[in-house]
Amino acid sequence: MFICKFKAMKIFKISIFTLILTLSVSQLNGQSEKELAKAADKFHAKHFTIDTHNDTALHFNNPNRGHSVTKGQVTFPMMREGGLDAAFFAIFLGQGVRSEEGHNSAKETAERELVNFLEYVKSQEGVRIAHSADDLLMNKREGYLSVVPALENGYPIGKDISLLTHFYKLGVRAITLCHNKNNEICDASMDANSEYGGLSEFGVLVVKEMNRLGIAVDVSHASVETLKDVLAVSTKPVIATHSGVWSIKHHNRNLRDEEIAAIAEKGGLIQIATGRFFLSDKPKEEVTVKDIADHIDHAVKIAGIEHIGIGTDFDGGGGVVGLENVSKMKNITIELMRRGYTEYQLSRFWGENLLDFLRKIQN
Ligand SMILES: [Zn+2]
């Protein structure tokens, strides 16, 4: 078939033009990705960063502990690689039998695991235990990572209010009121049975005592009614150390828009969790850092950047594609930068909010 010379030339020119355009766009993307990574490195070196929930302590203490979720997502060298300065390391206790014997045994387990873990931390170079905003900032300044001791589940407190002082003296600075089942303190979000319709009478005393001592009241895992009661009773701001956004994913562990607004209104924090079940219905391999950023975006729209942060839940179900472990933390920063978050917004999100929160509750 005959194609005229001019037509052939025209096709050739268009192809060359398309090729050049494609090359330059991909080069531009490549360059901007590199620049984003560089900007994230710079950001993390400069600003204090903290993750308000992992379940790594038990993993360190009992590496062969049977568990269905991914393990070994946090080590101190990986924290450095990921540009994470600090984390709340929670001693997790599943809800057991609610008898005097059960409570005593839970108290002994919590105490033993906590002491063992803190001994381990003290044996590690470049890491320190932190109890306050000042500790956290000093450690950052002096090049140390920080471990903030926490308890996930008030079950080991049983019905003994004096144990709050006991755990405070052992270093605990945050307690998740309950886990998936109701306990002596309150109703849990994953328990179908509403036992108290929120906080128990003992739970009211627990919140007041935590306020007095300066222990962060963690409302992740609490039922809708429990959160309402806590917000009414607490004289200090409260924190959801690892929760998602209910309006994006209808999971009972996630927070409704009005709950996010109410926590923020009281000066508290909503720390977005990274477990895929809290984020999306998509298959495992399709849930990525973008999904985490979607939850962050939504929570920020409701509460403002001054009330949002991150609580990975690593070694307890946290992590998605692109955030497989703590060494990948900068990928969150990169995604948020891509979405236009400023240095100020990122500094609030990554650490300044939490430092302010600790100052408020420990005063
Ligand atoms: Zn949890």
Side-chain angles (χ1 to χ4, degrees), residues 225-326:
E225 293 74 26
T226 296
L227 176 58
K228 263 188 209 152
D229 284 353
V230 169
L231 289 172
V233 166
S234 182
T235 56
K236 305 266 179 73
V238 303
I239 181 170
T241 62
H242 60 301
S243 292
V245 170
W246 193 86
S247 69
I248 296 180
K249 171 72 197 275
H250 292 1
H251 191 298
N252 274 349
R253 274 278 289 105
N254 286 345
L255 295 165
R256 273 79 174 163
D257 288 356
E258 55 273 25
E259 294 182 293
I260 293 170
I263 292 171
E265 208 163 293
K266 212 178 159 85
L269 302 183
I270 299 96
Q271 306 286 106
I272 300 299
T274 74
R276 69 185 172 94
F277 296 112
F278 302 151
L279 296 174
S280 162
D281 289 319
K282 289 183 286 191
K284 188 177 178 180
E285 55 284 358
E286 289 174 29
V287 187
T288 70
V289 173
K290 288 190 194 313
D291 293 285
I292 300 171
D294 288 346
H295 281 247
I296 294 168
D297 277 348
H298 186 93
V300 167
K301 242 177 248 157
I302 290 173
I305 192 69
E306 285 78 11
H307 299 280
I308 310 303
I310 195 94
T312 60
D313 210 0
F314 278 146
D315 291 325
V320 296
V321 174
L323 187 77
E324 290 81 3
N325 58 53
V326 73

Side-chain angles (χ1 to χ4, degrees), residues 53 55 152 179 221 242 253 313:
H53 188 78
D55 288 304
E152 181 169 26
H179 189 241
H221 288 281
H242 60 301
R253 274 278 289 105
D313 210 0

Side-chain angles (χ1 to χ4, degrees), residues 142-276:
E142 296 178 3
Y144 285 84
L145 299 175
S146 291
V147 165
V148 181
L151 261 189
E152 181 169 26
N153 198 355
Y155 175 48
I157 305 301
K159 296 180 182 181
D160 185 352
I161 199 90
S162 74
L163 290 180
L164 289 170
T165 301
H166 178 67
F167 280 108
Y168 179 86
K169 284 182 179 163
L170 287 173
V172 169
R173 291 296 179 271
I175 299 178
T176 317
L177 295 178
C178 59
H179 189 241
N180 287 342
K181 295 275 176 200
N182 304 340
N183 60 15
E184 299 304 317
I185 298 168
C186 63
D187 290 342
S189 70
M190 297 298 284
D191 197 320
N193 179 31
S194 169
E195 194 174 328
Y196 315 105
L199 276 175
S200 68
E201 275 179 36
F202 177 68
V204 171
L205 299 179
V206 166
V207 170
K208 287 182 178 168
E209 182 66 355
M210 286 169 75
N211 285 163
R212 188 185 72 80
L213 289 165
I215 300 176
V217 178
D218 179 8
V219 293
S220 284
H221 288 281
S223 74
V224 172
E225 293 74 26
T226 296
L227 176 58
K228 263 188 209 152
D229 284 353
V230 169
L231 289 172
V233 166
S234 182
T235 56
K236 305 266 179 73
V238 303
I239 181 170
T241 62
H242 60 301
S243 292
V245 170
W246 193 86
S247 69
I248 296 180
K249 171 72 197 275
H250 292 1
H251 191 298
N252 274 349
R253 274 278 289 105
N254 286 345
L255 295 165
R256 273 79 174 163
D257 288 356
E258 55 273 25
E259 294 182 293
I260 293 170
I263 292 171
E265 208 163 293
K266 212 178 159 85
L269 302 183
I270 299 96
Q271 306 286 106
I272 300 299
T274 74
R276 69 185 172 94

Side-chain angles (χ1 to χ4, degrees), residues 55-183:
D55 288 304
T56 302
L58 288 197
H59 182 62
F60 278 156
N61 287 356
N62 317 277
N64 299 316
R65 185 174 76 113
H67 207 295
S68 57
V69 297
T70 315
K71 289 282 158 190
Q73 292 173 298
V74 180
T75 64
F76 297 127
M78 283 202 291
M79 277 178 75
R80 287 201 186 275
E81 194 184 335
L84 185 70
D85 298 316
F88 283 25
F89 284 73
I91 302 296
F92 162 72
L93 281 108
Q95 186 60 44
V97 184
R98 288 164 55 187
S99 61
E100 206 182 315
E101 209 187 336
H103 290 135
N104 277 338
S105 149
K107 179 219 159 197
E108 277 165 25
T109 306
E111 200 177 276
R112 186 183 64 245
E113 296 287 359
L114 180 62
V115 169
N116 285 348
F117 173 63
L118 296 182
E119 283 304 312
Y120 169 78
V121 173
K122 284 175 199 160
S123 76
Q124 299 299 298
E125 271 196 33
V127 190
R128 284 177 183 159
I129 298 157
H131 297 124
S132 65
D134 285 350
D135 288 353
L136 290 165
L137 283 177
M138 180 182 69
N139 291 348
K140 166 82 174 175
R141 222 172 23 244
E142 296 178 3
Y144 285 84
L145 299 175
S146 291
V147 165
V148 181
L151 261 189
E152 181 169 26
N153 198 355
Y155 175 48
I157 305 301
K159 296 180 182 181
D160 185 352
I161 199 90
S162 74
L163 290 180
L164 289 170
T165 301
H166 178 67
F167 280 108
Y168 179 86
K169 284 182 179 163
L170 287 173
V172 169
R173 291 296 179 271
I175 299 178
T176 317
L177 295 178
C178 59
H179 189 241
N180 287 342
K181 295 275 176 200
N182 304 340
N183 60 15

